[in-house]
Amino acid sequence: MRYHERIVMLSVLDGLWKDHLLAMDHLKEGIGLRGYAQQDPLVAYKKESFEMFEGMMMQFQQDTARHLFRMQILGPDGTPIENTQQMMAAQLQRAHTAGQQALPLSPSGEEHAPVPIHTRAPSTTIDELEKEFQRKKRRELEQARAVSSASSESTAPAQRVTGEKVGRNDPCPCGSGKKYKKCHGAAA
């Protein structure tokens, strides 16, 4: 359970921290205008950034509590586990299938085979949140790589055509009879 709490807290904090950094950039861009209002921009920046940080931390606590209260543990058969007795029974069944304990005894004292259950491991809705979080991270990373590769391609120098240079008022080498500046030179 602690593992899931950590995952929820980290995913919530990660999202809120990104939003906070973006808001800080916007604050930094507009804080210089405070000088026109006879306010010290540095003091205003410190004050507003602290208020934004406190708001982010309050939102972090609320979102984390909301996700943890909505978390639902599912047993190996896919049914929700609502109390500790059901949790213990699910763990016991899993231990039986793994062969870690002796066969349970019936009331008459005889051993009997465990009830077959699905082989799917217990999961929670938090597992799905974690998978979605990982997919989101991968998408963001791919987008960042695409943007960086696109920006590096756009800064690459254009290939130069070598050969005889055509003057602006010379006839176009394509043979159209027009001046170069009116034909293929218009795009240059």
Side-chain angles (χ1 to χ4, degrees):
M1 188 68 180
R2 293 286 180 197
Y3 170 76
H4 297 299
E5 289 175 14
R6 283 195 303 262
I7 294 299
V8 167
M9 289 175 66
L10 285 174
S11 63
V12 168
L13 186 62
D14 184 56
L16 289 174
W17 185 248
K18 284 189 238 178
D19 293 341
H20 177 70
L21 291 177
L22 182 65
M24 291 297 290
D25 285 340
H26 291 299
L27 178 65
K28 185 173 139 184
E29 289 174 4
I31 202 69
L33 300 174
R34 300 301 168 94
Y36 294 121
Q38 300 298 317
Q39 294 178 354
D40 185 12
L42 181 62
V43 172
Y45 180 79
K46 286 179 181 179
K47 180 182 174 208
E48 288 185 30
S49 63
F50 181 71
E51 289 171 358
M52 288 170 55
F53 181 77
E54 283 184 327
M56 180 198 68
M57 292 307 291
M58 290 297 294
Q59 188 67 38
F60 166 69
Q61 291 173 353
Q62 291 172 356
D63 289 353
T64 302
R66 183 181 328 109
H67 286 298
L68 289 175
F69 278 118
R70 289 183 178 173
M71 184 170 66
Q72 188 176 40
I73 299 174
L74 300 177
D77 57 352
T79 59
I81 295 176
E82 298 174 358
N83 56 35
T84 55
Q85 288 83 15
Q86 289 177 338
M87 177 66 110
M88 298 301 280
Q91 288 175 347
L92 204 79
Q93 284 181 347
R94 199 166 85 203
H96 288 293
T97 58
Q100 295 176 351
Q101 293 184 356
L103 294 175
L105 298 176
S106 66
S108 62
E110 301 171 347
E111 289 186 356
H112 60 81
V115 177
I117 59 172
H118 300 285
T119 57
R120 193 179 79 157
S123 64
T124 64
T125 56
I126 299 303
D127 292 335
E128 295 302 320
L129 286 174
E130 181 182 356
K131 288 176 187 174
E132 179 61 32
F133 176 71
Q134 295 298 331
R135 284 192 293 266
K136 183 178 173 185
K137 285 291 185 192
R138 266 189 249 113
R139 265 186 275 138
E140 288 176 357
L141 186 60
E142 289 169 2
Q143 288 174 351
R145 286 181 183 156
V147 168
S148 66
S149 66
S151 65
S152 65
E153 290 173 3
S154 65
T155 58
Q159 292 184 348
R160 296 189 65 168
V161 178
T162 58
E164 185 178 326
K165 185 173 180 179
V166 180
R168 285 177 42 87
N169 290 321
D170 293 342
C172 188
C174 74
S176 66
K178 296 181 182 179
K179 290 184 178 181
Y180 178 71
K181 68 181 180 182
K182 296 283 185 180
C183 188
H184 284 88

